Amino acid sequence: MFISSIRVRGFRDLPAFEATDLKRVVRLVGPSLATAALGDAVELAFAALSQDGLRRLLTRWELCAPGETPELVGEVFPEQASWMDGTAARGLVGADRALRVTLTLALDPPLFGQLRQHATRDPQLAAALASGAHLRLDVGALFVSTFDAVAITLHQVGLGELVFGDEARSRWVDRLLVQLGGRFSRFDASAPVAERALAALTSREDHAAYLAWSTALGSPQLRAISGPGGRAQVLADERPLWRWGRPVQERARLQAAIHLSGADIVWVESALEDADQAVDGAGSALEQVWRVCEDGNLYVITEDPDLPATLSIRRALRETLPS
């Protein structure tokens, strides 16, 4: 599964943006305030399908006080979140306090297969699949006037012309959306990797991913162990990972985001090109990489900050490539 188009509205640093015809590797010029806001938008779309994902996003936005956990409301999907102090949230959004993100998602064979099973009982779904339609996800977030709470809304879930509204959405649609909630990951170069790697080592389902991660650097070879006091630790050629310095540590953590996160789509703000190759070939580790780097070929901008505007892939390439 990968994002083939995106439409964003309402962020203070990205009032309006639209990109179409997205490929497996999306290289954005940055870092910048606008690219960070675009990453927030993609993360918000998937966080609307996952309570844990929304907590991670609110933590990234630093909305909560030290030691505070945002309070979430919602049974299947998060519907509302609140925290104590609204100061930090004021800098995220425009005057109308509303964010809107619409994604078009190209389905991978496993997800397509799940939909085909349900299509045997739904002629409209069968017709949409036969036409090659992509999945459409439209998500909104509205902050209260005191900025200490936000309402999350799934405005629309659709497949081509077929729309699954709140009332029409069946349990299988919700189960599909829950799966999608874990398909996006945002790489954090400072995030610890040892516990995740050790858990994958001892997991029957994730052991193959662990083996791919352990050999991804070529040299040094990576290995997760239970160290002193049972603390998880990563060794690189039998030396503690930290002894290899920052470049090797960053590559090891990036490979963990690629192989151990369980995501199809990874957002990376790094000059490292390791993730770009992770979408190549059959059985690739990832379906899509969004990489923010100085030598990117797509500018993320709003042409007029006072008047919402859009920027398509074609226009961005025309402006950045030599004539």
Side-chain angles (χ1 to χ4, degrees):
M1 179 199 75
F2 68 93
I3 300 168
S4 59
S5 71
I6 183 171
R7 186 174 186 265
V8 179
R9 292 290 184 274
F11 284 86
R12 183 173 182 178
D13 294 319
L14 192 64
F17 179 79
E18 186 170 356
T20 59
D21 301 326
L22 295 167
K23 306 305 181 185
R24 297 299 181 95
V25 177
V26 183
R27 296 171 63 246
L28 308 167
V29 178
S32 68
L33 292 174
T35 56
L38 181 59
D40 290 342
V42 178
E43 189 170 1
L44 173 62
F46 288 95
L49 309 177
S50 166
Q51 305 244 0
D52 289 341
L54 184 58
R55 287 191 185 93
R56 283 193 297 271
L57 179 58
L58 298 178
T59 299
R60 187 187 305 281
W61 283 347
E62 298 182 342
L63 302 188
C64 299
E68 181 188 2
T69 301
E71 182 177 345
L72 269 59
V73 175
E75 295 183 6
V76 179
F77 305 114
E79 299 173 3
Q80 180 179 309
S82 59
W83 48 94
M84 296 297 295
D85 190 332
T87 303
R90 296 176 185 275
L92 288 172
V93 295
D96 60 0
R97 299 180 276 108
L99 305 176
R100 191 78 173 255
V101 185
T102 304
L103 301 182
T104 303
L105 301 168
L107 300 176
D108 56 32
L111 288 174
F112 192 85
Q114 290 183 42
L115 289 175
R116 285 189 63 183
Q117 291 180 4
H118 296 288
T120 60
R121 300 183 296 273
D122 188 335
Q124 288 184 303
L125 179 57
L129 290 174
S131 69
H134 290 186
L135 188 68
R136 185 175 59 261
L137 179 64
D138 188 3
V139 170
L142 178 63
F143 288 82
V144 299
S145 59
T146 51
F147 290 92
D148 55 2
V150 63
I152 306 295
T153 305
L154 285 176
H155 289 291
Q156 190 181 95
V157 179
L159 191 72
E161 298 299 320
L162 182 61
V163 176
F164 306 105
D166 287 340
E167 296 181 358
R169 260 195 353 245
S170 58
R171 290 183 179 180
W172 72 262
V173 176
D174 283 354
R175 287 197 297 269
L176 177 71
L177 295 177
V178 168
Q179 290 183 52
L180 298 185
R183 297 294 187 97
F184 174 78
S185 177
R186 200 164 178 177
F187 169 58
D188 181 354
S190 63
V193 66
E195 290 186 4
R196 183 191 302 178
L198 188 60
L201 170 64
T202 57
S203 166
R204 178 178 300 178
E205 294 80 8
D206 298 331
H207 189 71
Y210 170 83
L211 293 177
W213 167 77
S214 67
T215 58
L217 301 189
S219 179
Q221 296 271 310
L222 303 172
R223 187 163 72 94
I225 65 169
S226 180
R231 183 182 62 186
Q233 185 178 9
V234 172
L235 302 181
D237 279 357
E238 302 307 309
R239 300 287 196 280
L241 180 61
W242 63 265
R243 292 185 61 180
W244 287 85
R246 181 175 177 179
V248 173
Q249 291 181 65
E250 183 176 354
R251 289 192 65 205
R253 288 169 176 151
L254 177 55
Q255 291 297 334
I258 293 169
H259 294 286
L260 304 180
S261 67
D264 287 346
I265 304 167
V266 172
W267 179 281
V268 179
E269 296 191 21
S270 172
L272 293 176
E273 298 182 1
D274 298 44
D276 294 16
Q277 284 74 50
V279 302
D280 295 337
S284 59
L286 298 176
E287 293 290 326
Q288 190 176 47
V289 171
W290 294 63
R291 188 159 68 90
V292 179
C293 53
E294 292 183 355
D295 60 345
N297 55 17
L298 172 62
Y299 285 101
V300 182
I301 59 173
T302 295
E303 294 170 336
D304 185 340
D306 298 318
L307 296 174
T310 63
L311 180 65
S312 72
I313 287 287
R314 295 186 183 89
R315 175 168 184 174
L317 292 176
R318 186 169 66 247
E319 291 178 347
T320 57
L321 293 178
S323 58

